[in-house]
Amino acid sequence: MKLAHSFKHLARMAISGAALSLLVACGGTSYVENADRNDVITVGDSIFDLSGDLQRFLEEEAGQTFRKYTLSGAEIAGGVIATSITQQYSDAKATDDNIKTVVMDGGGNDILIPAIILDPYGCRTHWWRWSISSSCRNLIDDIYIDTVNLLNDMGNDGVENVIYLGYYELPRGNANLLGALNYGTQRLGEACSNATANCTFVDPRGYIPAAHVKWDNIHPTEEGSRTLADLVWPQLQNAL
């Protein structure tokens, strides 16, 4: 485990400009702290933030805007690329703590960032390793703990509804992360169920074809974001 943590530290120190571009650049915005519904916030990563399409589609459905704290490159807790999702939520509370509904995603970058650089946890499968490694499972279990802690904070703060969007299958060059995706989805769903918050988990696996994922093999196209919004909207509609 110490060796894996050392690799993770080295990987993050060695992140190249190209990797940063892949995860963060080509879009994304800063916080939006005033909206029609300040009691509804979004927190998360570039699935929301990079193009902004997912939030835009949800706001179009609602006919209202929501406060936005999502940032490309964000991890659940910690991280060196962007403000963490835990901190995003804290920042939202500092601006206005009357938060009734949270729409979010998170946990994908915690796996993807090290996997893109050196894959120190063995989250990618190969012909010589058909299953994810025990280190990868331990990493995902740690993400589960961070996620439960965040969701518990939301529940204890009086948030009435959390809608947690999971991750879809990544195509082409990232298809060998499917094992990590499936185990991560299982644990994120468990975090949603086990936390004190009233949390609904939205599983998008099987809904986003490769053609609706951009050239980077990570982010949704506009069509992909439309599908994600269609999955989230029935849950959000009930919470408004």
Side-chain angles (χ1 to χ4, degrees), residues 32-43 55 58-59 62 64-69 92 96 98-104 159 161 163 233 236-237 239-240:
V32 176
E33 300 202 276
N34 288 289
D36 299 329
R37 290 288 301 270
N38 283 338
D39 62 323
V40 181
I41 70 167
T42 59
V43 296
Q55 177 138 354
L58 291 173
E59 290 177 340
Q64 299 171 310
T65 58
F66 314 126
R67 285 197 286 157
K68 172 200 166 297
Y69 293 85
D96 183 348
N98 180 32
I99 300 171
K100 299 303 181 186
T101 299
V102 176
V103 184
M104 66 177 293
V159 173
N161 298 284
I163 302 163
W233 171 243
L236 178 56
Q237 183 179 30
L240 295 177

Side-chain angles (χ1 to χ4, degrees), residues 119 121-134:
D119 194 25
Y121 294 98
C123 287
R124 294 185 184 273
T125 56
H126 303 275
W127 64 266
W128 67 87
R129 185 179 64 229
W130 291 8
S131 300
I132 62 174
S133 71
S134 59

Side-chain angles (χ1 to χ4, degrees), residues 13-193:
M13 294 296 292
I15 288 176
S16 66
L20 282 171
S21 176
L22 183 65
L23 291 166
V24 180
C26 305
T29 56
S30 57
Y31 291 171
V32 176
E33 300 202 276
N34 288 289
D36 299 329
R37 290 288 301 270
N38 283 338
D39 62 323
V40 181
I41 70 167
T42 59
V43 296
D45 57 36
S46 56
I47 300 302
F48 275 87
D49 183 63
L50 190 64
S51 68
D53 288 337
L54 177 51
Q55 177 138 354
R56 174 171 61 87
F57 289 141
L58 291 173
E59 290 177 340
E60 287 175 357
E61 290 284 358
Q64 299 171 310
T65 58
F66 314 126
R67 285 197 286 157
K68 172 200 166 297
Y69 293 85
T70 59
L71 294 171
S72 295
E75 300 172 56
I76 289 289
V80 297
I81 292 179
T83 301
S84 72
I85 296 165
T86 298
Q87 186 60 48
Q88 291 169 20
Y89 175 64
S90 295
D91 292 343
K93 286 195 300 180
T95 297
D96 183 348
D97 64 1
N98 180 32
I99 300 171
K100 299 303 181 186
T101 299
V102 176
V103 184
M104 66 177 293
D105 75 333
N109 282 327
D110 304 63
I111 299 170
L112 187 63
I113 291 173
I116 283 178
I117 309 304
L118 294 174
D119 194 25
Y121 294 98
C123 287
R124 294 185 184 273
T125 56
H126 303 275
W127 64 266
W128 67 87
R129 185 179 64 229
W130 291 8
S131 300
I132 62 174
S133 71
S134 59
S135 293
C136 183
R137 288 182 175 273
N138 290 336
L139 170 66
I140 293 169
D141 290 341
D142 288 342
I143 297 167
Y144 164 85
I145 293 170
D146 289 336
T147 303
V148 169
N149 289 338
L150 173 57
L151 293 173
N152 282 343
D153 287 343
M154 292 178 181
N156 294 336
D157 291 338
V159 173
E160 295 176 0
N161 298 284
V162 179
I163 302 163
Y164 201 123
L165 176 64
Y167 293 93
Y168 48 84
E169 299 91 340
L170 300 181
R172 299 176 291 266
N174 282 325
N176 61 357
L177 284 169
L178 180 61
L181 170 77
N182 286 336
Y183 185 60
T185 298
Q186 173 192 326
R187 296 299 272 155
L188 289 177
E190 290 169 353
C192 198
S193 297

